[in-house]
C-alpha cells in the first residue's frame, strides 16, 4: 500500500469503522437530517438536541464506506455532550482540514480523533464521504434551531 | 494467458494513455471502458488534421473550407451508418446517448402538448393518463429519468419489466406491455449487470401492441456487431465516446418512417426549412434534429474510431472480450468473499462485471485498486434502482475492451485480495 493510502486509512479510522462509537439515533432529537452521497450511495442520518446546560447530544445511523462511517463515529464521539463553542470550533476545523489538499496542520484541540482524516483531503472523491456526517450535523442543528457563533461557521 | 484472437500488446501501442503511470509509478490498468473508452492515435490524429486543414461551420457558407467540413461531417455519418447497417440519412448526431434518449422522450411530450393545442401530430406520439410507458429495472438513469419525466408531464403510467435473481429480465413480466403502451424503451446490454437482453422479442411485442420501440445500445454497439434494423426497434441510441471516439458526440438511429414523424427536440439554426416571424417549418431528418453548429471534429474522430474498429474486426473484438469475460467471471467467482451481481455465466453477457466484497464497501475496494494503478468504477453506475433490486448500496465494476487482457484481470484480482487483507476481512 502506498504512503498516501496508508495515510488515508489511519488506524484510528479503521478502528472507528470496525467499532463505531455512539451509533444509534436519539429518540428525542430536536432536529434530524438524512444525507446521501449520490455518487456512491453512502447514507447517514444525524440527530441532535440540546440539554438544559446547552450541551449538544448527537445520534447517528448510516451505511457506507469506511471513511463516511468512521467520520460519523469520530464526530459523534467528539461532540457528544459538547458545548456549542466546541461544536463551532470542530465544524470549522473539520471543513478547513477537508479543503487543505493534504497540506493542512490539523487542529487536535478542536478535532480529537478527527485529525486522522488529514489524509482524506488528498483524495477529492473521498472528501465528500468524510464531510457527509458533518453536513448532516449542520443541517440537523439548523432544523433544531441550534445556532452557533456565525463568525466561526465554515463557509463550505 | 495470451488472447487467441487479438494481438493485445500490439493494439495497446495504438493507445498513448495506456503508456502512462498513475499514483506514482504504477502502470495504468484501465478497466473502466464501460464508463468511457480510451482513444487510439488514429482518432486523435483525425481530429487534429481536421482542425489543421478543413475547420469551418458545416452546411453554411460558400467557401472551400465550408465545403470540405461539410463533406467530412457527412462522410462520418455515412461511415457510422455503415458500421451499424443503416442508411446515412437515418443517423442523427447528438451530444451523447443521454441527449438521444431525451430527444426520443421529448418527441412524445412535445407532440402531446402540440396535439392539446389542436396541432396535427402522429397519434402514436400522443400520451394520455390511460397510456403506459415501459422500461426495465436495469436501465441506466439516462433511459429511466426522461421517461419518468414524460409520465409526470402527461399522466401516463410508467411500468417496468423486473429482474430475476441471476440478473436477467423476468420475461414472465412481458405482459406489462399491452394495448395501453405507447413506447417501450430498453437497454440492449446492461452497463451494471452486463446482461445482454433479448431485445428483438421485446421489440416484436411492442410492435404487436402498436407501441414504438427504443433500444439503448450504448454498451452493445462498441463491443459487438449490431445491425440496428435487426433489433426490431424504431429508435436506437448510443454514444461515441464508449467506442473509441471523442466525447461530445452521440448517435440516434431511427426507422425512416418514424424519424420522419418526430417533432424536433432542440430548435434554432440549421434545423429549419422556412422561417417567418409567425412561425417556421422544419428540415427533414437528420437536419431537423441537429440544431446549431454541430460537433464536426468529433464526427471526424468518430469516423476514425469506426474505421479502427473495423480494421481490428468488431467480430474479433467481440470474441476476445467474450473469452476475457469468461476468464474474469471464473477468477472472481473463485475468490472467497466476492459475489458477482449479474449473470455468473458468460452466455448472453457483456464484459461489464459488477461485484461486491463481503465486509468491504465498494469505495474502499476501488481505493485500494486505484492505489495499485487499477482503474475500476465504484458506486451505483447510474443504475440506482438496479442496486436496490439486489439489495446493495453500490458495487465495484470492472469492464474491458480490445486493449485489455488476462493480466489486467489478474491485477484486479490481486488488488481485491490486497483490500481484503488490508481491511482484515480475508
Ligand atoms: C447503458 C447506458 N445507457 C446510457 C448511457 C449514457 O451515456 P452518455 O453518458 O454518454 O450519454 C450509458 C453510459 O454511461 C450507458 O452505459
Amino acid at each position: 500500500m502506498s504512503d498516501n493510502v496508508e495515510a488515508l486509512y489511519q488506524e484510528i479510522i479503521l478502528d472507528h469503522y470496525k467499532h463505531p462509537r455512539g451509533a444509534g439515533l436519539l429518540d428525542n432529537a430536536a432536529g434530524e437530517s438524512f444525507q446521501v452521497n449520490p455518487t456512491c450511495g453512502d447514507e447517514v442520518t444525524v440527530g441532535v438536541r440540546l440539554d438544559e446546560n446547552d450541551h449538544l447530544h448527537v445520534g447517528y445511523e448510516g451505511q457506507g464506506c469506511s471513511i463516511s462511517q468512521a467520520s460519523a463515529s469520530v464526530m459523534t464521539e467528539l461532540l457528544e455532550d459538547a458545548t456549542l463553542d466546541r461544536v463551532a470550533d470542530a465544524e470549522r476545523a473539520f471543513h478547513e482540514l477537508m479543503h487543505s489538499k493534504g497540506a493542512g496542520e490539523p487542529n487536535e484541540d478542536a478535532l480529537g480523533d478527527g485529525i486522522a482524516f488529514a489524509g482524506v483531503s488528498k483524495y477529492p472523491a473521498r472528501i465528500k464521504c468524510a464531510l457527509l456526517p458533518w453536513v448532516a450535523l449542520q443541517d440537523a442543528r439548523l432544523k433544531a434551531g441550534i445556532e452557533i457563533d456565525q463568525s466561526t461557521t465554515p463557509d463550505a | 494467458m495470451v488472447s487467441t484472437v487479438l494481438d493485445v500488446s500490439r493494439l495497446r501501442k495504438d493507445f498513448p494513455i495506456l503508456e502512462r503511470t498513475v499514483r506514482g509509478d504504477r502502470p495504468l490498468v484501465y478497466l473502466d471502458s464501460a464508463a468511457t473508452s480510451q482513444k487510439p492515435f488514429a482518432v486523435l490524429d483525425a481530429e487534429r488534421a481536421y482542425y489543421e486543414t478543413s475547420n469551418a461551420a458545416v452546411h453554411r457558407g460558400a467557401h472551400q473550407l465550408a465545403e470540405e467540413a461539410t463533406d467530412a461531417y457527412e462522410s462520418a455519418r455515412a461511415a457510422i451508418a455503415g458500421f451499424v447497417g443503416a442508411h446515412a440519412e437515418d443517423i442523427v448526431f447528438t451530444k451523447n446517448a443521454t441527449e438521444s434518449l431525451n430527444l426520443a422522450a421529448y418527441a412524445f411530450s412535445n407532440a402531446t402538448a402540440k396535439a392539446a393545442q389542436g396541432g396535427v401530430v402522429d397519434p402514436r406520439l400522443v400520451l394520455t393518463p390511460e397510456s403506459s410507458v415501459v422500461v426495465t429495472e436495469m436501465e441506466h438513469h439516462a433511459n429511466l429519468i426522461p421517461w419518468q419525466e414524460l409520465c409526470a408531464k402527461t399522466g401516463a403510467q410508467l411500468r417496468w419489466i423486473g429482474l430475476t435473481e441471476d440478473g436477467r429480465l423476468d420475461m414472465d413480466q412481458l405482459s406489462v406491455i399491452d394495448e395501453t403502451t405507447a413506447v417501450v424503451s430498453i437497454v440492449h446490454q446492461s452497463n451494471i449487470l452486463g446482461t445482454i437482453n433479448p431485445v428483438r422479442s421485446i421489440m416484436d411485442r411492442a410492435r404487436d401492441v402498436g407501441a414504438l420501440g427504443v433500444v439503448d445500445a450504448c454498451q452493445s454497439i462498441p463491443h459487438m456487431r449490431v445491425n440496428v434494423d435487426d433489433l426490431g426497434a424504431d429508435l436506437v441510441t448510443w454514444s461515441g465516446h464508449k467506442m473509441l471516439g471523442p466525447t461530445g458526440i452521440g448517435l440516434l438511429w431511427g426507422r425512416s418512417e418514424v424519424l420522419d414523424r418526430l417533432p424536433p427536440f432542440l430548435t434554432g439554426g440549421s434545423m429549419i426549412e422556412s422561417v417567418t416571424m409567425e412561425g417556421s417549418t422544419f428540415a427533414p431528418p437528420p437536419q431537423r434534429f441537429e440544431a446549431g453548429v454541430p460537433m464536426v471534429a468529433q464526427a471526424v474522430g468518430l469516423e476514425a474510431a469506426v474505421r479502427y474498429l473495423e480494421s481490428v474486426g468488431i467480430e474479433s473484438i467481440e470474441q476476445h472480450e467474450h473469452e476475457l469475460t469468461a476468464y474474469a467471471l471464473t477468477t472472481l467467482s473463485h475468490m472467497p468473499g466476492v459475489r458477482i451481481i449479474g449473470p455468473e455465466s458468460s452466455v448472453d453477457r457483456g464484459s461489464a462485471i459488477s461485484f461486491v466484497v463481503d465486509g468491504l464497501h465498494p469505495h474502499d475496494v476501488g481505493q485500494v485498486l486505484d492505489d495499485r494503478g487499477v482503474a475500476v468504477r465504484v458506486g451505483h453506475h447510474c443504475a440506482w434502482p438496479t442496486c436496490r433490486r439486489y439489495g446493495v448500496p453500490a458495487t465495484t465494476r470492472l469492464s474491458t475492451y480490445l486493449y485489455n487482457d488476462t493480466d489486467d484481470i489478474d491485477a484486479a484480482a490481486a488488488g481485491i485480495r490486497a483490500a481484503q487483507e488490508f481491511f482484515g476481512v480475508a
Side-chain angles (χ1 to χ4, degrees), chain A residues 93 96-97 100 102-108 111 115 118:
Chain A
E96 273 173 16
L97 185 62
S100 68
E105 194 53 55
N107 177 343
E108 185 156 12
L111 289 177
I115 60 170

Side-chain angles (χ1 to χ4, degrees), chain B residues 224-293:
Chain B
M224 63 170 101
R225 175 67 71 193
V226 174
N227 179 306
V228 282
D229 197 37
D230 290 348
L231 297 178
D234 297 295
L235 301 171
V236 177
T237 62
W238 71 106
S239 278
H241 68 92
K242 294 182 200 277
M243 55 188 295
L244 311 184
T247 52
I249 185 161
L251 292 310
L252 171 79
W253 170 84
R255 199 170 288 290
S256 57
E257 168 271 323
V258 172
L259 209 51
D260 201 46
R261 310 301 287 272
L262 297 189
F265 170 42
L266 302 175
T267 56
S270 300
M271 53 74 68
I272 49 89
E273 184 184 58
S274 163
V275 180
T276 67
M277 284 315 291
E278 288 71 34
S280 305
T281 56
F282 308 124
Q287 272 70 39
R288 186 189 303 160
F289 306 105
E290 296 181 0
V293 172

Side-chain angles (χ1 to χ4, degrees), chain B residues 34-35 96-99 101 140 142 187 189-191 216 218-219 239 241-242 377:
Chain B
N96 51 29
T98 304
E99 184 183 309
L101 288 160
H140 187 283
V187 68
Q189 178 179 316
S190 162
N191 68 304
D216 171 2
C218 253
Q219 298 290 346
S239 278
H241 68 92
K242 294 182 200 277
R377 175 130 179 227

